Amino acid sequence: MEKSQIWLTFGTLSLLAASAMAVDVIVLTEENFHKEVGQDKGALVEFYAPWCGHCKKLAPKYEKLGESLNKAKSVLIGKVDCDEHKSVCSKYGVQGYPTIQWFPKGSLEPKKYEGPRTAEALIEFVNREGGTFVFIAF
């Protein structure tokens, strides 16, 4: 194997490892929902469908939110694929996509987010509900 191929392989593996370690938005499933949400931190959860146009439009903003709040240890940013995890979505009354709900620290009783679907509005909501003071860097 040539040196250039070795370095290319090494670089690719390094990028994959870094992206695997930096989880900004937690993927929630039927198996881990109650282990992650309702515990020792507040949680903002997006219930979405992969085919939903509004969900696709929100995705980069939601990722930016997760990236910005990754350092705030008191808040979890999560998402649930409702096509795959129907029971979780029906349990929390999801009827349209995306549905965004806030779960206070230690609670599985959500508060539905009704505001604009912008990164700025979402961070303001999380700061208010979660007691954080985080800004999104653009």
Side-chain angles (χ1 to χ4, degrees):
M1 191 180 280
E2 291 184 28
K3 282 186 179 181
S4 61
Q5 288 176 320
I6 292 171
W7 282 110
L8 180 61
T9 302
F10 177 74
T12 302
L13 290 174
S14 296
L15 285 173
L16 287 172
S19 66
M21 289 170 35
V23 178
D24 298 326
V25 177
I26 306 296
V27 175
L28 298 168
T29 66
E30 291 157 347
E31 292 77 32
N32 73 353
F33 192 90
H34 292 100
K35 293 176 187 169
E36 297 286 345
V37 178
Q39 300 301 316
D40 61 345
K41 56 178 96 176
L44 188 70
V45 178
E46 174 197 10
F47 296 89
Y48 74 99
W51 47 263
C52 165
H54 293 293
C55 301
K56 290 177 185 179
K57 186 176 177 185
L58 177 63
K61 299 169 195 170
Y62 203 71
E63 290 294 328
K64 186 62 135 171
L65 177 72
E67 181 183 313
S68 296
L69 283 162
N70 195 17
K71 294 179 182 102
K73 304 294 183 202
S74 62
V75 177
L76 175 139
I77 304 298
K79 62 183 180 180
V80 178
D81 179 338
C82 290
D83 278 357
E84 287 189 32
H85 306 287
K86 290 177 175 54
S87 66
V88 174
C89 298
S90 66
K91 179 176 183 173
Y92 292 103
V94 176
Q95 296 181 349
Y97 307 112
T99 294
I100 301 170
Q101 296 182 353
W102 171 258
F103 293 82
K105 178 180 175 179
S107 174
L108 287 171
E109 294 298 320
K111 173 181 182 178
K112 188 172 182 182
Y113 175 74
E114 302 279 358
R117 293 176 180 157
T118 65
E120 297 83 7
L122 286 165
I123 196 81
E124 184 180 309
F125 177 79
V126 170
N127 281 335
R128 185 175 58 249
E129 295 296 322
T132 56
F133 193 70
V134 177
F135 291 95
I136 293 182
F138 291 96

